[in-house]
Amino acid sequence: MKLVINGQHKPIDDSVISVSDLISFLELGVKTVVVEWNDQILSKDLHSTTKLADGDKIEIVHFVGGG
């Protein structure tokens, strides 16, 4: 499957079915992330039930501490 992630077309393994699978696949698991799926911001409780399809547009923002 091909997704558009943060503006870049990326091939993603077919085992990635949901947004939470994608977060794990991208190794963002424990970080706080905000996900926009096809122009809709998803609350965290929807990550596991939102199914991905070829061509979906995903924007992922995660926060990095520092000073």
Side-chain angles (χ1 to χ4, degrees):
M1 152 172 58
K2 248 189 179 175
L3 300 175
V4 179
I5 301 174
N6 293 346
Q8 297 182 351
H9 293 269
K10 294 191 181 227
I12 300 296
D13 191 274
D14 288 337
S15 66
V16 176
I17 297 170
S18 67
V19 170
S20 60
D21 293 341
L22 180 63
I23 292 168
S24 295
F25 179 79
L26 296 174
E27 299 178 350
L28 298 174
V30 296
K31 297 178 183 175
T32 299
V33 297
V34 176
V35 178
E36 182 181 283
W37 168 73
N38 296 327
D39 300 321
Q40 175 183 342
I41 295 177
L42 295 178
S43 61
K44 188 174 181 175
D45 61 321
L46 294 176
H47 290 184
S48 62
T49 58
T50 302
K51 305 300 181 200
L52 298 172
D54 195 48
D56 279 351
K57 180 182 166 192
I58 309 292
E59 296 290 327
I60 301 174
V61 177
H62 59 94
F63 302 94
V64 179

